[in-house]
Structures are given as C-alpha cells and as structure tokens.
Amino acid sequence: MQNLKNVLYRAFPALGVLFALLVQTIFPDSPLHPTAGRHYYNFLLYILLSVTVAFFALSFCIAKIREALVEKGAFFFGAGVLLALLNLVTAKLALLPVIFFPTFDNILAVFVEQTGLLLKCIGFSFRLLILGVIWGTIAGFITGVCLGFSKKVYYWINPYIKLIGPIPATAWIPLVLTTFPTPLGASIFIIALSVWFPVQLMTSSGIQNTSKVYFEVGRTLGAGTFFQIFKIAVPAALPNIFQGVFNGICAAFIALMTAEMFGAKYGIGWYISYQKAMMLYSGVYAGLLMIAVFCTVIITALFKIRQRVLGWQKGLIKW
C-alpha cells in the first residue's frame, strides 16, 4: 500500500501536466481573444509532459529523483491544476476582461517573437542591478564598519543616517534625475542608495553586538586596529552582513524597476512600462515572469555564496 502511494506521488507531476493539457485540448478558446500565431502553450505542455514522464521513469532507479518526486509531487500536481483553472477562466471562458488577461499562447508568443529585445532588456537590467548592488554594498559595508567600530563616528554620523536612511530610494528620483548627467548614472545611484542603508545598518549592528571579550583578547595579544576590524569584527558580523545584502537586493529590485521607468531606454522595468502604455498586456505578463525568474536566480546565487562562506549556519536560513 505504501509503495502504491509513493508511485502515485511520483506520478503527480505528470498527471498535473496531463490535466492542464486535456483542458487546453478539449475546451476551445473564446473568440473574444486574439488568436496567437502558433499554439505555444500546447508545445510547452508537451515538453513538460515529456520531462515529467521521463523523471517518473527515472524515479524507479534513482533514489534522489524518487525522494524529490515523493516530496514535491503533490505541489506540482496542484500547479498543473492551477494552470488549468487559469486557462479556463481567461482563454476558454473569457470571464475576465480580455484586454487585461490574455491567453497563455499570447504571453508565450512574446518570448518567442521578441527574444532579442527581451534579452537586451535583461542584459541592461542585470548591468544596472550588479553595478548598483556592488557600489551600494561597498558604501554600506564601509559606513557600517566605521559606525560599528568607532564610537566617535557613530556619535557624529548616526543621527544623519537615521534621518536620511529610512527615506525610500525611489523618493529621490526627481532630484537625482536633475543632478546626474545621464539616466544610467542616476539609475545606478538609486539602486546603490537602496542597498546602502540595510547593508550599513546590519553591518554596524553585527559589529556592535560582537562580544567585547574578543576585542580585549585581541588587544592583549597586540592586535592593531586593522586586525581587530577584519579578523574579529567583520567575521563575527558576517551573518548580519549577508542579511543586510539580502534585504538590500530585495530593495534594489524595487528601485531597479522604478528607476527604469524614468528615462531608461531598455530594461525589464522599461519594457513593462512600454507594454502597458501600448495596452499590450501579454507583454506586461511576460515582463513580470522575467522579473520573477531574474529575482529568483539572483537571490538563489546569493544564498549559495552564503552557504559557502557561512557553512556553520547551513540550514539556519532557508530559501
């Protein structure tokens, strides 16, 4: 009985895709929707069905695949049912406004027919994000170390940071656009500003919360300021620093999308704004899907780095 239940769980992903495919095949699209050039959604479902069936077959001989399917099988089945329900509500029955809720075929057509433009937008957004995050992290780290290690710096600088830091970075856009000579520099500054505050806050907090005993032992053994900062304070504060970088990157995504909507020539945010202005909501949903994948990849990469640097905290914070 238990083996039969496990086999069913392993078959759930394929059954979910099969259910979505049956709904797509049996029910015709509403004539209210514009017809896509090709049935991209059918093609995608056939690929997914082939992949899920292949994994189901491999689960009989590979333990890791078997365990993963048993654990996640029900979720994937639910995802297939959800896709089928969304397809019914939008494409098949047109229960929602057609202009705002296009068919899956029309959304997928954007990825196929505008591949070059989308890749260019992703590259532009990635460059902006990386430059903004790097500069923001460097500035936040330096500020956080100075505030956390020096009481004098904390006394003179912290009140200004408390005043300026909580202001959303996007609120500075009107001023920044008139100050910087190019929209690119302005966008990088806005993203860096959104990253700077959480990084400096968590870095300074982590250093201040480090046990004073470590610094006293270091001074007793003749450690200088540089050694105390980079061999005692910073390693002890690394969990806080990574948390600050994580919060900063999440804020950077918001700043990135907003900054690109003001004066940028390319980028995911620019693309969504352009498609919305043209009332092409299939492009808007394609842009939102790109943002979801883009953000997931960046944050997953950050957590991989965190697990390597902070191996002793593995499993403490999960993504």
Side-chain angles (χ1 to χ4, degrees), residues 191-271:
I191 297 168
L193 186 62
S194 66
V195 176
W196 162 77
F197 180 66
V199 171
Q200 73 82 23
L201 179 64
M202 297 307 299
T203 302
S204 61
S205 299
I207 292 176
Q208 289 173 348
N209 291 329
T210 302
S211 177
K212 306 302 179 186
V213 175
Y214 298 144
F215 296 107
E216 292 174 0
V217 171
R219 283 193 293 268
T220 301
L221 296 175
T225 303
F226 183 87
F227 186 93
Q228 292 183 52
I229 291 175
F230 291 100
K231 296 296 184 180
I232 299 176
V234 172
L238 272 179
N240 295 69
I241 294 172
F242 271 100
Q243 185 177 348
V245 174
F246 173 79
N247 294 337
I249 288 179
C250 292
F253 287 129
I254 300 173
L256 173 67
M257 295 301 110
T258 307
E260 285 183 345
M261 292 178 182
F262 293 92
K265 293 183 179 180
Y266 293 102
I268 301 176
W270 167 86
Y271 181 81

Side-chain angles (χ1 to χ4, degrees), residues 21-274:
L21 183 58
L22 288 175
V23 170
Q24 171 67 6
T25 306
I26 294 173
F27 296 94
D29 287 351
S30 169
L32 298 176
H33 283 282
T35 304
R38 295 182 179 180
H39 296 295
Y40 297 107
Y41 183 51
N42 294 53
F43 184 65
L44 176 63
L45 289 177
Y46 283 125
I47 292 176
L48 291 176
L49 184 61
S50 302
V51 171
T52 52
V53 169
F55 273 106
F56 174 72
L58 290 173
S59 68
F60 287 95
C61 53
I62 301 177
K64 286 187 176 180
I65 295 178
R66 181 165 58 248
E67 293 170 2
L69 289 179
V70 170
E71 181 183 357
K72 297 290 186 180
F75 170 80
F76 286 118
F77 178 78
V81 173
L82 179 61
L83 278 177
L85 292 176
L86 288 174
N87 197 21
L88 276 174
V89 171
T90 55
K92 306 303 181 182
L93 303 178
L95 298 179
L96 298 173
V98 171
I99 190 171
F100 300 119
F101 297 93
T103 64
F104 290 157
D105 277 334
N106 287 320
I107 295 173
L108 293 172
V110 174
F111 290 103
V112 177
E113 297 167 5
Q114 300 183 26
T115 304
L117 178 59
L118 293 177
L119 290 175
K120 195 170 186 177
C121 289
I122 291 174
F124 191 90
S125 293
F126 183 75
R127 181 180 65 160
L128 275 183
L129 183 69
I130 292 299
L131 290 175
V133 168
I134 289 175
W135 285 112
T137 301
I138 292 173
F141 176 77
I142 294 173
T143 309
V145 168
C146 294
L147 289 171
F149 194 78
S150 174
K151 292 183 179 179
K152 290 183 179 180
V153 174
Y154 184 87
Y155 175 82
W156 288 105
I157 302 300
N158 194 56
Y160 297 105
I161 292 180
K162 285 183 177 180
L163 181 65
I164 298 174
I167 300 175
T170 52
W172 296 93
I173 286 179
L175 179 61
V176 171
L177 286 176
T178 59
T179 304
F180 280 78
T182 62
L184 176 63
S187 300
I188 293 173
F189 178 80
I190 289 296
I191 297 168
L193 186 62
S194 66
V195 176
W196 162 77
F197 180 66
V199 171
Q200 73 82 23
L201 179 64
M202 297 307 299
T203 302
S204 61
S205 299
I207 292 176
Q208 289 173 348
N209 291 329
T210 302
S211 177
K212 306 302 179 186
V213 175
Y214 298 144
F215 296 107
E216 292 174 0
V217 171
R219 283 193 293 268
T220 301
L221 296 175
T225 303
F226 183 87
F227 186 93
Q228 292 183 52
I229 291 175
F230 291 100
K231 296 296 184 180
I232 299 176
V234 172
L238 272 179
N240 295 69
I241 294 172
F242 271 100
Q243 185 177 348
V245 174
F246 173 79
N247 294 337
I249 288 179
C250 292
F253 287 129
I254 300 173
L256 173 67
M257 295 301 110
T258 307
E260 285 183 345
M261 292 178 182
F262 293 92
K265 293 183 179 180
Y266 293 102
I268 301 176
W270 167 86
Y271 181 81
I272 292 175
S273 180
Y274 173 74

